[in-house]
Coordinates of all heavy atoms in Angstrom, one line a residue:
L354 N -8.2 1.4 -0.3 CA -9.3 2.4 -0.1 C -8.9 3.8 -0.2 O -9.5 4.7 -0.9 CB -10.1 2.2 1.2 CG -11.2 1.2 1.2 CD1 -11.7 0.9 2.6 CD2 -12.4 1.7 0.3
R355 N -7.8 4.1 0.5 CA -7.2 5.5 0.4 C -6.8 5.9 -1.0 O -7.1 7.0 -1.5 CB -6.0 5.6 1.3 CG -6.4 5.7 2.8 CD -5.1 5.9 3.6 NE -5.4 5.9 5.0 CZ -5.3 4.9 5.8 NH1 -4.7 3.8 5.4 NH2 -5.6 5.0 7.1
A356 N -6.1 4.9 -1.7 CA -5.7 5.2 -3.1 C -6.9 5.4 -4.0 O -6.9 6.3 -4.9 CB -4.8 4.0 -3.6
M357 N -7.9 4.5 -3.9 CA -9.1 4.6 -4.7 C -9.9 5.9 -4.4 O -10.3 6.6 -5.4 CB -10.0 3.4 -4.4 CG -11.3 3.3 -5.3 SD -10.9 2.8 -7.0 CE -10.4 1.1 -6.8
A358 N -10.0 6.3 -3.2 CA -10.7 7.5 -2.8 C -10.0 8.7 -3.5 O -10.6 9.6 -4.0 CB -10.8 7.7 -1.3
A359 N -8.7 8.7 -3.4 CA -7.9 9.8 -4.0 C -8.0 9.9 -5.5 O -8.2 10.9 -6.1 CB -6.4 9.7 -3.6
A360 N -8.0 8.7 -6.1 CA -8.1 8.6 -7.6 C -9.4 9.1 -8.1 O -9.5 9.7 -9.2 CB -7.8 7.2 -8.0
I361 N -10.5 8.8 -7.3 CA -11.8 9.2 -7.8 C -12.2 10.6 -7.4 O -13.2 11.2 -7.8 CB -12.9 8.2 -7.3 CG1 -14.2 8.3 -8.1 CG2 -13.2 8.4 -5.8 CD1 -14.1 7.7 -9.5
G362 N -11.3 11.2 -6.6 CA -11.5 12.6 -6.2 C -12.3 12.9 -4.9 O -12.9 13.9 -4.7
L363 N -12.4 11.9 -4.1 CA -13.1 12.0 -2.8 C -12.3 12.9 -1.9 O -11.2 12.6 -1.6 CB -13.4 10.6 -2.2 CG -14.2 10.6 -0.9 CD1 -15.7 11.1 -1.2 CD2 -14.2 9.2 -0.3
V364 N -13.0 13.9 -1.4 CA -12.3 14.8 -0.4 C -12.2 14.0 0.9 O -13.1 13.3 1.4 CB -13.2 16.0 -0.1 CG1 -12.6 16.9 0.9 CG2 -13.4 16.8 -1.4
P365 N -11.0 14.0 1.5 CA -10.7 13.2 2.7 C -11.7 13.4 3.9 O -12.0 12.5 4.6 CB -9.3 13.5 3.1 CG -8.7 14.0 1.9 CD -9.8 14.7 1.1
S366 N -12.2 14.6 4.0 CA -13.1 15.0 5.1 C -14.6 14.7 4.8 O -15.5 14.9 5.6 CB -13.0 16.4 5.5 OG -13.3 17.3 4.4
A367 N -14.9 14.2 3.6 CA -16.3 13.9 3.2 C -16.9 12.9 4.1 O -16.3 11.8 4.4 CB -16.3 13.4 1.7
V368 N -18.1 13.2 4.5 CA -18.8 12.2 5.4 C -19.6 11.3 4.4 O -20.3 11.7 3.5 CB -19.8 12.9 6.3 CG1 -20.7 11.9 7.0 CG2 -19.1 13.8 7.3
L369 N -19.3 10.0 4.6 CA -19.9 8.9 3.8 C -21.0 8.2 4.5 O -20.9 8.1 5.8 CB -18.8 7.9 3.4 CG -17.5 8.5 2.8 CD1 -16.4 7.4 2.7 CD2 -17.8 9.0 1.5
T370 N -21.9 7.7 3.8 CA -22.8 6.7 4.3 C -22.2 5.3 4.0 O -22.0 5.0 2.8 CB -24.2 6.8 3.7 OG1 -24.7 8.2 4.0 CG2 -25.2 5.8 4.3
I371 N -21.9 4.6 5.0 CA -21.2 3.3 4.8 C -22.1 2.2 5.2 O -22.6 2.1 6.3 CB -19.9 3.3 5.7 CG1 -19.0 4.5 5.4 CG2 -19.2 1.9 5.6 CD1 -17.9 4.7 6.4
I372 N -22.4 1.4 4.2 CA -23.4 0.4 4.3 C -22.8 -1.0 4.1 O -22.2 -1.3 3.0 CB -24.6 0.6 3.3 CG1 -25.2 2.0 3.5 CG2 -25.6 -0.5 3.4 CD1 -26.2 2.4 2.4
Q373 N -22.9 -1.9 5.0 CA -22.5 -3.3 4.9 C -23.7 -4.0 4.4 O -24.8 -4.1 5.1 CB -22.0 -3.8 6.2 CG -21.1 -5.0 6.1 CD -21.8 -6.2 5.6 OE1 -22.8 -6.6 6.2 NE2 -21.3 -6.9 4.6
A374 N -23.7 -4.6 3.2 CA -24.9 -5.1 2.5 C -25.5 -6.2 3.3 O -26.7 -6.4 3.2 CB -24.5 -5.6 1.1
D375 N -24.8 -7.0 4.1 CA -25.4 -8.1 4.8 C -25.8 -7.7 6.2 O -26.1 -8.6 7.1 CB -24.4 -9.3 4.9 CG -24.1 -9.9 3.5 OD1 -25.1 -9.9 2.7 OD2 -23.0 -10.3 3.3
D376 N -25.8 -6.4 6.5 CA -26.2 -5.9 7.8 C -25.4 -6.4 9.0 O -25.9 -6.6 10.1 CB -27.7 -6.1 8.0 CG -28.6 -5.3 7.1 OD1 -28.2 -4.1 6.8 OD2 -29.6 -5.8 6.7
A377 N -24.1 -6.7 8.8 CA -23.3 -7.1 9.9 C -23.1 -6.1 10.9 O -22.9 -6.3 12.1 CB -21.9 -7.6 9.3
V378 N -23.2 -4.8 10.5 CA -23.2 -3.6 11.3 C -24.2 -2.7 10.8 O -24.6 -2.7 9.6 CB -21.8 -2.9 11.4 CG1 -20.8 -3.8 12.1 CG2 -21.3 -2.5 10.1
P379 N -24.8 -1.8 11.6 CA -25.7 -0.8 11.0 C -25.0 0.1 10.1 O -23.8 0.3 10.1 CB -26.2 0.0 12.3 CG -25.3 -0.4 13.4 CD -24.5 -1.6 13.0
A380 N -25.8 0.8 9.2 CA -25.2 1.8 8.3 C -24.6 2.9 9.2 O -25.1 3.2 10.3 CB -26.3 2.4 7.4
L381 N -23.5 3.5 8.7 CA -22.7 4.5 9.5 C -22.6 5.7 8.7 O -22.4 5.7 7.4 CB -21.4 3.9 9.9 CG -21.3 2.6 10.6 CD1 -19.9 2.1 10.7 CD2 -21.9 2.8 12.0
D382 N -22.5 6.9 9.3 CA -22.1 8.1 8.7 C -20.8 8.5 9.3 O -20.7 8.8 10.5 CB -23.1 9.2 9.0 CG -24.4 9.2 8.2 OD1 -24.3 8.7 7.0 OD2 -25.4 9.6 8.6
A383 N -19.7 8.4 8.5 CA -18.4 8.7 9.0 C -17.5 9.0 7.8 O -17.7 8.6 6.6 CB -17.8 7.5 9.7
C384 N -16.4 9.8 8.0 CA -15.4 9.9 7.0 C -14.6 8.7 6.9 O -14.5 7.9 7.8 CB -14.6 11.2 7.2 SG -13.4 11.1 8.6
L385 N -13.9 8.5 5.7 CA -13.2 7.3 5.5 C -12.1 7.0 6.5 O -11.9 5.9 7.0 CB -12.6 7.3 4.1 CG -11.9 6.0 3.6 CD1 -12.8 4.8 3.7 CD2 -11.3 6.2 2.2
E386 N -11.3 8.1 6.9 CA -10.2 7.9 7.8 C -10.7 7.4 9.2 O -10.1 6.6 9.8 CB -9.4 9.2 7.9 CG -8.5 9.4 6.7 CD -7.5 8.3 6.4 OE1 -6.9 7.8 7.4 OE2 -7.4 8.0 5.2
D387 N -11.9 8.0 9.6 CA -12.4 7.5 10.9 C -12.8 6.1 10.9 O -12.6 5.3 11.8 CB -13.6 8.4 11.3 CG -13.2 9.8 11.7 OD1 -12.0 10.0 11.9 OD2 -14.1 10.7 11.8
W388 N -13.4 5.7 9.7 CA -13.8 4.3 9.6 C -12.6 3.4 9.5 O -12.6 2.3 10.1 CB -14.7 4.1 8.3 CG -15.2 2.7 8.1 CD1 -16.3 2.2 8.6 CD2 -14.5 1.6 7.4 NE1 -16.5 0.9 8.2 CE2 -15.4 0.5 7.4 CE3 -13.3 1.5 6.7 CZ2 -15.0 -0.7 6.8 CZ3 -13.0 0.3 6.1 CH2 -13.9 -0.8 6.1
L389 N -11.6 3.8 8.9 CA -10.3 3.0 8.7 C -9.7 2.7 10.1 O -9.0 1.7 10.2 CB -9.4 3.7 7.8 CG -9.8 3.5 6.3 CD1 -8.9 4.4 5.4 CD2 -9.7 2.1 5.8
I390 N -9.9 3.6 11.1 CA -9.3 3.3 12.4 C -9.8 1.9 12.9 O -9.1 1.2 13.6 CB -9.7 4.4 13.4 CG1 -9.0 5.7 13.0 CG2 -9.4 4.0 14.8 CD1 -9.4 7.0 13.7
H391 N -11.1 1.6 12.5 CA -11.7 0.4 13.0 C -11.9 -0.7 11.9 O -12.6 -1.7 12.1 CB -13.1 0.7 13.6 CG -13.0 1.8 14.6 ND1 -12.6 1.5 15.9 CD2 -13.3 3.1 14.6 CE1 -12.6 2.6 16.6 NE2 -13.0 3.6 15.9
A392 N -11.1 -0.5 10.8 CA -11.3 -1.4 9.6 C -11.0 -2.8 9.9 O -11.6 -3.7 9.4 CB -10.4 -0.9 8.5
D393 N -10.1 -3.1 10.9 CA -9.8 -4.5 11.2 C -10.9 -5.2 11.8 O -11.0 -6.4 11.8 CB -8.5 -4.6 12.1 CG -8.7 -3.8 13.4 OD1 -9.4 -2.8 13.4 OD2 -8.0 -4.2 14.4
E394 N -11.9 -4.4 12.3 CA -13.1 -5.1 12.9 C -14.3 -4.9 12.0 O -15.3 -5.6 12.1 CB -13.5 -4.5 14.2 CG -12.4 -4.8 15.3 CD -12.8 -4.2 16.6 OE1 -13.7 -4.8 17.3 OE2 -12.2 -3.2 17.0
L395 N -14.3 -3.9 11.1 CA -15.4 -3.6 10.2 C -15.2 -4.0 8.8 O -16.0 -3.6 7.9 CB -15.7 -2.1 10.3 CG -16.1 -1.5 11.7 CD1 -16.2 0.0 11.6 CD2 -17.4 -2.2 12.2
D396 N -14.2 -4.8 8.5 CA -13.8 -5.1 7.1 C -14.6 -6.2 6.5 O -14.1 -7.2 6.1 CB -12.3 -5.3 7.0 CG -11.9 -6.5 7.9 OD1 -12.7 -7.0 8.6 OD2 -10.7 -6.9 7.7
F397 N -15.9 -6.1 6.5 CA -16.8 -7.1 6.0 C -16.9 -6.8 4.5 O -17.1 -5.7 4.0 CB -18.2 -7.0 6.6 CG -18.2 -7.3 8.1 CD1 -18.3 -6.2 9.0 CD2 -18.2 -8.6 8.6 CE1 -18.3 -6.4 10.3 CE2 -18.2 -8.8 9.9 CZ -18.3 -7.7 10.8
V398 N -16.8 -7.9 3.7 CA -17.0 -7.7 2.2 C -18.4 -7.3 1.9 O -19.3 -7.4 2.7 CB -16.6 -9.0 1.4 CG1 -15.2 -9.4 1.6 CG2 -17.5 -10.2 1.9

Side-chain angles (χ1 to χ4, degrees):
L354 269 171
R355 284 182 183 101
M357 185 74 68
I361 200 73
L363 183 67
V364 177
S366 61
V368 175
L369 307 171
T370 301
I371 303 168
I372 302 169
Q373 201 291 310
D375 294 326
D376 293 324
V378 293
L381 305 169
D382 281 330
C384 70
L385 184 59
E386 286 301 319
D387 290 344
W388 183 88
L389 285 170
I390 293 169
H391 305 282
D393 58 332
E394 295 182 74
L395 298 175
D396 61 352
F397 299 100
V398 293

